[in-house]
Amino acid sequence: MRRDPPGTFAAAVIRHVRRIPPGRVAAYGDIAALAGSPRAARGVGAVLNGLGPDQDVPWWRVVNRVGRLSIPADLGRRALQRRLLLDEGVAFRDRDAVDLEHHHWDGDA
DNA sequence: AAGGTGACTGGCG
DNA sequence: TCGCCAGCCACCT
């Protein structure tokens, strides 16, 4: 799995994703900004993609800027994310887009 | 160490 | 918001 030295982008991403409360979602770009690199949204995806099974990071609470699940549909990972969010009470606008208006995490506030 | 890849975005029509 | 596209940037060869 992935152990990242503190101070790295990856570590910051993990740290912030852990802060997303259940029932709320954040965009890749939001996390990138919190992590200190506002334009590194894709980097956030790369980090989450490399997460180990026991990393204990709520990766499913991260969606793209319009609320759509950005995970490739294969391997059923996508369906899993959908289910996990549903279980937390996140409402969906359609098959693979959450209702951002009501569940977007303000990054605290 | 250089280049390819992609769980992204914002701009434009 | 939808599609398309050109930047972007961290990851992984």
Side-chain angles (χ1 to χ4, degrees):
Chain A
M1 79 184 99
R2 196 155 221 290
R3 241 84 50 90
D4 297 287
T8 64
F9 177 76
V13 167
I14 290 176
R15 183 149 38 78
H16 285 105
V17 172
R18 286 218 176 95
R19 292 165 24 86
I20 307 174
R24 315 307 292 299
V25 296
Y28 294 91
D30 297 338
I31 301 302
L34 289 172
S37 306
R39 326 269 188 67
R42 303 184 81 140
V44 173
V47 171
L48 296 186
N49 184 48
L51 285 176
D54 34 352
Q55 278 273 27
D56 186 44
V57 176
W59 56 267
W60 58 90
R61 308 213 259 249
V62 184
V63 301
N64 75 15
R65 94 188 129 127
V66 285
R68 271 220 280 296
L69 311 191
S70 271
I71 299 185
D74 57 304
L75 297 175
R77 295 264 267 146
R78 177 80 169 283
L80 172 60
Q81 176 172 27
R82 192 179 141 75
R83 198 180 63 243
L84 288 168
L85 288 172
L86 245 14
D87 287 349
E88 296 186 342
V90 175
F92 276 68
R93 292 200 305 125
D94 64 61
R95 195 73 177 66
D96 44 26
V98 305
D99 182 342
L100 274 186
E101 286 281 343
H102 299 128
H103 298 93
H104 188 285
W105 176 49
D106 37 37
D108 275 333

